[in-house]
């Protein structure tokens, strides 16, 4: 971002990468896939790079409102400093926080989730909409809580899968009734409480029941949890977990 | 004449006693903090019409939903008949509205069919609890009282509806006999089948008709007074509860204003925070720290367990149950409200919602997934209470597990929940393939 400003340019959109997308090895691949898509359709985008910081979501869900608001106010200063108007992110938690919780603290931006941008690009014909290697595969979509129930976005990610000519199956708990992967509410950063089993194992049983070969998702935390679920059942050979951005990048030969 | 006096006395007492009980509940709800929820009235009326009146979320579970619609519509419409009963009771008349002729027959016929549907619905509900033993109706919080409460409600409904139909059957038989003031009025599509079961002589029939009439109306008045101590109070509170429900996206949690003032002061030394309310805490430890909508939620809960049945934490065997959160809040509020009534605002029994009712283990098991909020047919929000309890634990007590504390300090120092250096944020773009 700083470079663009130095060259006197203005991005169409800011790509908010998020902490998982920046640091988590598996999630970095999602970030790269999405950046490739943006380049492919020649959208002029920028990232904040080292000036980006945690949105404060995990602190807020864990009850630390102080820390959340400190993070939010600092981020808003940075975003406003660059006169950012439009933000896209591949993380439903960042999406929800910036879209819904920043306005009350003075940060007003148009915020979209990457699956929504991908949906628009497919509808506008800017992205190829053919199945390629996914043709005929059994694919299911796991709804991230903060995208689905949290913000009522159910169709955008499915649109990117519908165009694949794949065999789209729904798990028995899907859309507004979707089961959480177990990471939200800061659970990602602590040990689970005592219980019969882990939540991602329960969710993985839905995947197995749907007999899906590919689990698509739109959240780096769901990605981690479901991948762990796949490992738990030793299904690494049979089941792939992919982000909508990765699938879209692949069918577009990126 | 004596009958009329007894009726008026019973009716008056029932109304007075009911009003006293409702006032207590309103007083308790008002112990909560203020919350402004009167914006967008048009949208609020629409939500109430859809969710409460229209039962939109009930039918997500079709069997329970449709049976409930029978009971609900039946109850509301049969209450028109109660209006007639009250007038008859006060003035000593008999079927005062019968002058409506054909329309009266239509009304009575509809009441009878609805009464039958209510019976069907209630029997299905009873079967689900007593025979099928649905999992949703059990759980640690479903102790003796909540379980009996549900059964009492259903049995009372059976008795009331049976009395109503028997009364009509006896009346009809007397009409056919042309006995006394029992003029031909109404039409009895259901109770006509009961006629043959009744005795043939008029004096017995009059006795049956009268006792059912009294049983029906006294039953209703008693039931009215049972509502406020029961989950059945939802038949009233469902309406305001949906009207005042949260209209924002479910993912959006409120930004605490008290915190905002302090944060502003920290970032900008020239900012002068408004004088803080010394009593106010960050987050909630007890019911008085919750807002009034959360407290109304607690009194509205039907204990149906839809929230708990979709809770990922509960499904995987954790202690957390969103229904228990609501029931605990209500039970603590009852206890706290009684104390305040006796000893005034600074009542303190050394107990609190957090720890004495809801444990730490419960609140920390929540993934904030909003499944419970989505599932509740009357727009109750257990998650907001869980969040307020967490806020208290974190901001007032700094009582969190080491791993969450580590996450906090990472966010604070590195700008990420993990221990990575901010300088490495762009690494994903470096080894570009
Ligand atoms: C105004 C008349 C109403 C009557 C007579 C009525 C009656 C009943 C009865 C008898 C039950 C008990 C079922 C059982 O526990 O097995 C029940 C449960 C319930 N009612 Fe109502 N109700 C009324 C209004 C409403 C409204 C407006 C709502 C809002 C949507 C509502 C929501 C519920 C819910 C969620 C349950 C739990 C049902 C379940 O087990 O799934 N009720 N009601
Ligand atoms: S938000 Fe919390 S309490 Fe509600 S269903 Fe999800 S995990 Fe359970
Ligand atoms: S909170 Fe709602 S869903 Fe849960 S038990 Fe109460 S009424 Fe049912």
């Amino acid at each position: 971002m700083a470079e663009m400003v130095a060259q006197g340019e203005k991005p169409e959109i800011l790509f908010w990468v998020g902490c998982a997308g920046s640091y988590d090895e598996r999630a970095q691949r999602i970030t790269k896939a999405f950046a490739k898509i943006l380049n492919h359709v020649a959208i002029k985008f920028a990232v904040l790079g080292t000036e980006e910081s945690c949105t404060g979501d995990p602190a807020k869900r864990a009850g630390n409102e102080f820390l959340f608001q400190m993070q939010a106010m600092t981020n808003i200063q940075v975003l406003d400093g660059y006169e950012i108007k439009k933000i896209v992110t591949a993380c439903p938690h960042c999406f929800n926080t910036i879209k819904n919780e920043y306005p009350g603290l003075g940060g007003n931006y148009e915020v979209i989730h990457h699956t929504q941008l991908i949906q628009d690009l497919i509808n506008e014909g800017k992205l190829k909409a053919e199945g390629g290697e996914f043709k005929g595969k059994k694919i299911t979509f796991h709804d991230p809580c903060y995208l689905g129930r949290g913000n009522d976005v159910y169709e955008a990610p499915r649109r990117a899968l519908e165009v694949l000519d794949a065999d789209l199956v729904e798990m028995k708990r899907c859309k507004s009734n979707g089961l959480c992967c177990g990471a939200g509410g800061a659970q990602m950063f602590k040990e689970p409480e005592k219980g019969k089993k882990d939540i991602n194992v329960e969710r993985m049983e839905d995947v197995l029941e749907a007999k899906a070969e590919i689990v698509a998702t739109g959240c780096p935390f769901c990605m981690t949890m479901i991948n762990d679920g796949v490992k738990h059942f030793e299904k690494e050979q049979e089941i792939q977990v992919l982000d909508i951005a990765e699938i879209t990048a692949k069918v577009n030969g990126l | 004449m004596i009958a009329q006096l007894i009726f008026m006395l019973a009716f008056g007492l029932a109304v007075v006693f009911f009003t006293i009980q409702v006032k207590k509940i309103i007083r308790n709800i008002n112990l909560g903090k203020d919350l402004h929820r009167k914006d967008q009235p048009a949208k609020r009326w629409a939500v109430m019409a859809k969710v409460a009146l229209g039962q939109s979320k009930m039918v997500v579970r079709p069997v329970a939903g449709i049976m409930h619609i029978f009971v609900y519509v039946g109850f509301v419409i049969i209450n028109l008949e109660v209006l007639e009963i009250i007038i008859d009771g006060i003035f000593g008349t008999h079927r005062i509205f019968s002058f409506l002729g054909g329309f009266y027959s239509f009304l009575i016929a509809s009441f009878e069919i609805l009464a039958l549907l209510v019976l069907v619905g209630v029997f299905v509900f009873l079967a689900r609890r007593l025979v099928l033993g649905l999992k949703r109706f059990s759980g640690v919080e479903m102790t003796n009282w909540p379980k009996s409460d549900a059964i009492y409600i259903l049995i009372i409904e059976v008795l009331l509806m049976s009395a109503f139909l028997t009364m009509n059957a006896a009346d009809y038989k007397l009409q056919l006999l042309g006995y006394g003031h029992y003029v031909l009025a109404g039409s009895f599509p259901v109770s006509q089948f009961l006629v043959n079961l009744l005795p043939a002589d008029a004096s017995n029939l009059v006795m049956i008709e009268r006792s059912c009439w009294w049983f029906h109306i006294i039953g209703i008045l008693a039931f009215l007074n049972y509502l406020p101590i029961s989950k059945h109070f939802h038949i009233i509170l469902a309406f305001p509860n949906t009207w005042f429900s949260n209209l924002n996206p479910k993912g959006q949690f409120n930004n605490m204003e008290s915190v905002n003032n302090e944060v502003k002061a920290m970032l900008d030394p020239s900012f002068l925070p408004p004088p803080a309310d010394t009593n106010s805490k960050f987050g909630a430890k007890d019911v008085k720290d919750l807002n009034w909508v959360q407290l109304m939620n607690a009194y509205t809960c039907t204990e149906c367990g839809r929230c708990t049945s979709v809770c990922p934490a509960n499904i995987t065997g954790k202690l957390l149950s969103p229904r228990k959160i609501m029931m605990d809040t209500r039970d603590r509020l009852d206890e706290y409200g009684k104390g305040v009534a006796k000893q005034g605002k600074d009542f303190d029994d050394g107990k609190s919602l957090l720890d004495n009712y809801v444990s730490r283990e419960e609140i920390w098991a929540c993934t904030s997934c909003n499944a419970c909020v989505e599932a509740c047919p009357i727009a109750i929000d257990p998650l907001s209470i869980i969040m307020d309890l967490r806020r208290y634990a974190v901001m007032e007590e700094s009582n969190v597990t080491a791993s969450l504390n580590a996450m906090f300090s990472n966010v604070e120092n590195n700008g990420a929940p993990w221990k990575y250096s901010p300088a490495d944020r762009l690494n994903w773009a470096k080894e570009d393939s």
Side-chain angles (χ1 to χ4, degrees):
Chain A
M1 182 71 218
E3 283 166 39
M4 264 203 181
V5 173
Q7 290 161 17
E9 288 186 66
K10 254 198 164 159
E12 280 170 60
I13 199 163
L14 178 86
F15 173 21
W16 183 279
V17 181
C19 300
S22 302
Y23 297 119
D24 181 274
E25 264 177 54
R26 179 65 190 83
Q28 283 179 345
R29 305 220 300 268
I30 306 173
T31 310
K32 284 183 211 170
F34 187 58
K36 280 180 198 163
I37 293 174
L38 291 173
N39 281 326
H40 175 70
V41 297
I43 289 183
K44 216 158 81 180
F45 73 99
V47 294
L48 286 178
T50 53
E51 287 179 274
E52 192 184 286
S53 185
C54 175
T55 58
D57 163 84
K60 187 174 182 101
R61 312 295 136 180
N64 196 336
E65 181 78 7
F66 270 110
L67 185 52
F68 161 72
Q69 291 199 10
M70 290 295 286
Q71 287 296 116
M73 303 285 271
T74 328
N75 285 329
I76 290 170
Q77 280 176 358
V78 174
L79 291 167
D80 286 350
Y82 288 120
E83 292 174 24
I84 301 293
K85 298 274 170 317
K86 194 167 175 187
I87 301 175
V88 63
T89 173
C91 172
H93 296 267
C94 300
F95 165 71
N96 174 67
T97 307
I98 305 178
K99 176 173 177 284
N100 296 322
E101 290 164 0
Y102 280 22
L105 301 171
N108 292 291
Y109 319 99
E110 184 191 341
V111 190
I112 55 172
H113 187 245
H114 72 314
T115 58
Q116 293 174 309
L117 186 65
I118 290 174
Q119 177 190 34
D120 289 345
L121 292 169
I122 290 175
N123 289 345
E124 289 163 18
K126 291 189 183 153
L127 282 176
K128 242 204 324 217
E130 273 157 38
E133 62 180 278
F134 296 105
K135 219 170 250 171
K137 284 262 173 75
K138 253 193 158 85
I139 305 187
T140 192
F141 182 70
H142 165 81
D143 289 277
C145 301
Y146 278 85
L147 189 63
R149 272 189 298 273
N151 286 288
D152 289 318
V153 180
Y154 299 108
E155 288 316 315
R158 285 181 171 76
R159 175 80 187 129
L161 297 175
E162 276 162 15
V163 297
L164 295 176
D165 267 339
D167 179 9
L168 213 57
V169 287
E170 292 290 358
M171 289 183 263
K172 70 169 190 264
R173 292 179 274 203
C174 65
K175 299 189 182 167
S176 61
N177 191 29
L179 183 75
C180 176
C181 68
Q187 296 297 333
M188 187 77 188
F189 308 101
K190 62 183 265 299
E191 288 303 313
E193 275 61 32
K194 286 198 302 292
K196 294 198 299 268
K197 59 172 139 175
D198 285 340
I199 294 173
N200 58 344
V201 172
E202 173 84 17
R203 186 49 164 169
M204 199 55 209
E205 287 167 4
D206 290 353
V207 173
L208 296 176
E209 197 186 299
K211 299 203 167 57
E213 297 160 84
I214 296 174
V215 186
T217 186
C219 171
F221 296 99
C222 298
M223 170 69 75
T224 307
M225 294 311 256
I226 295 177
N227 261 324
D228 288 349
V230 171
K231 284 183 204 137
H232 177 91
F233 286 96
E234 296 178 355
K235 293 278 177 197
E236 291 99 322
Q237 301 307 317
E238 292 99 321
I239 300 176
Q240 261 186 302
V241 191
L242 292 171
D243 189 273
I244 296 286
E246 294 177 298
I247 294 176
T248 310
K250 265 200 185 149
V251 297
N252 281 273
L254 304 172
Chain B
M1 197 55 209
I2 289 182
Q4 281 164 262
L5 281 178
I6 295 177
F7 177 82
M8 279 188 270
L9 190 67
F11 183 68
L13 276 178
V15 171
V16 169
F17 197 56
F18 179 70
T19 317
I20 294 175
Q21 293 196 77
V22 170
K23 278 204 172 136
K24 271 190 199 153
I25 289 185
I26 294 176
R27 179 203 69 201
N28 284 357
I29 290 176
N30 280 330
L31 291 173
K33 287 192 179 164
D34 286 344
L35 177 72
H36 185 77
R37 277 271 174 90
K38 286 190 183 151
D39 56 316
Q40 312 176 58
K43 202 165 168 194
R44 296 192 173 281
W45 287 112
V47 169
M48 188 180 96
K50 188 166 146 240
V51 178
L53 211 68
Q55 304 268 301
S56 63
K57 287 187 148 193
M58 287 298 282
V59 287
V60 171
R61 310 243 173 142
V63 178
I66 291 168
M67 292 305 132
H68 185 272
I69 288 179
F70 287 171
V71 180
Y72 159 69
V73 174
F75 173 85
V76 173
I77 299 196
I78 294 170
N79 268 338
L80 292 175
E81 166 79 12
V82 175
L83 185 68
E84 181 181 52
I85 293 185
I86 291 170
I87 297 177
D88 281 347
I90 294 176
F91 297 103
T93 46
H94 183 72
R95 294 194 181 264
I96 180 109
F97 292 144
S98 56
F99 70 88
L100 293 169
F103 184 61
Y104 187 73
S105 298
F106 169 75
L107 280 180
I108 297 293
S110 335
F111 296 157
E112 289 222 331
I113 291 169
L114 284 166
L116 185 67
L117 291 179
V118 170
L119 281 173
V120 171
V122 168
F123 278 120
V124 172
F125 281 143
L126 276 172
R128 284 154 65 83
R129 285 179 181 273
L130 298 176
V131 186
L132 303 174
L134 252 63
K135 185 159 176 283
R136 175 148 77 81
F137 299 126
S138 53
V140 280
E141 64 273 27
M142 298 309 279
T143 47
N144 286 338
W145 164 246
K147 281 196 169 157
S148 323
D149 180 22
I151 305 295
Y152 294 157
I153 295 165
L154 294 171
I155 291 177
I156 297 172
E157 293 273 356
V158 172
L159 293 177
L160 289 179
M161 290 304 122
S162 312
F164 174 68
L165 289 174
T166 316
M167 172 185 91
N168 276 357
D171 195 307
Y172 182 49
K173 197 159 189 173
L174 287 164
Q175 291 181 15
L176 293 178
L177 292 174
Y179 183 81
H181 60 267
Y182 292 92
V183 287
L184 271 176
S187 132
F188 304 93
V190 178
S191 60
Q192 60 181 327
F193 297 105
L194 300 175
V195 164
N196 288 335
L197 301 175
L198 298 176
D201 71 294
S203 62
N204 276 335
L205 281 174
V206 172
M207 211 188 70
I208 291 175
E209 194 271 336
R210 281 293 87 192
S211 10
C212 285
W213 188 92
W214 279 100
F215 184 84
H216 183 64
I217 188 63
I218 298 290
I220 286 178
L221 296 177
F223 200 27
L224 183 70
N225 279 290
Y226 179 68
L227 297 186
I229 59 161
S230 154
K231 69 166 191 149
H232 211 49
F233 203 46
H234 80 273
I235 73 174
I236 296 170
L237 278 184
F239 296 91
N241 199 73
T242 43
W243 201 90
F244 286 106
S245 64
N246 177 23
L247 301 180
N248 295 328
K250 288 192 202 62
Q252 175 178 346
F253 293 9
N254 67 321
N255 290 324
M256 295 169 68
E257 215 172 308
S258 48
V259 170
N260 195 236
N261 289 329
E262 303 212 0
V263 171
K264 275 191 190 139
M266 267 152 100
L267 293 175
D268 172 11
S270 65
F271 175 82
L272 277 183
D277 175 1
T278 43
N279 256 333
S280 88
K281 291 192 189 78
F282 295 123
K285 181 184 193 203
D286 205 354
V287 284
K288 64 175 182 301
D289 309 321
L290 295 169
N291 67 52
W292 70 273
V293 172
Q294 291 169 317
L295 300 184
M296 176 170 63
N297 277 184
Y299 277 120
T300 313
C301 177
T302 67
E303 300 168 9
C304 74
R306 290 170 194 232
C307 50
T308 295
S309 74
V310 294
C311 172
N314 191 275
I315 291 172
T316 56
K318 320 288 192 288
L319 270 186
L320 173 63
S321 159
R323 168 173 58 191
K324 176 172 179 292
I325 302 283
M326 299 320 300
M327 292 168 67
D328 283 347
T329 305
R330 180 198 58 204
D331 293 346
R332 171 61 185 158
L333 181 55
D334 266 336
E335 181 181 67
Y336 181 76
K338 274 192 196 122
V340 171
K342 279 204 202 99
Q343 298 173 27
K345 279 269 175 202
D346 6 85
F347 164 75
D348 182 7
D349 56 358
K351 290 210 237 165
S352 58
L353 179 62
L354 185 59
D355 292 333
N356 293 99
Y357 287 79
V358 179
S359 69
R360 312 267 162 167
E361 188 175 337
E362 290 165 61
I363 60 170
W364 288 112
C366 173
T367 71
S368 75
C369 73
N370 262 309
C372 52
V373 185
E374 177 75 36
C376 181
I378 36 186
I380 288 172
D381 184 352
L383 173 56
S384 73
I385 298 181
I386 298 173
M387 281 310 304
D388 283 341
L389 296 174
R390 279 189 181 185
R391 285 167 169 172
Y392 180 84
V394 171
M395 291 189 284
E396 291 284 341
E397 303 181 317
S398 307
N399 184 354
V400 278
T401 59
S403 43
L404 282 182
N405 254 333
M407 184 267 282
F408 292 152
S409 73
N410 284 330
V411 170
E412 201 173 333
N413 301 317
N414 311 327
W418 299 286
K419 215 174 174 63
Y420 292 110
S421 156
D424 293 338
R425 249 197 202 266
L426 258 181
N427 282 5
W428 61 270
K430 281 191 188 135
E431 57 304 351
D432 214 8
S433 46

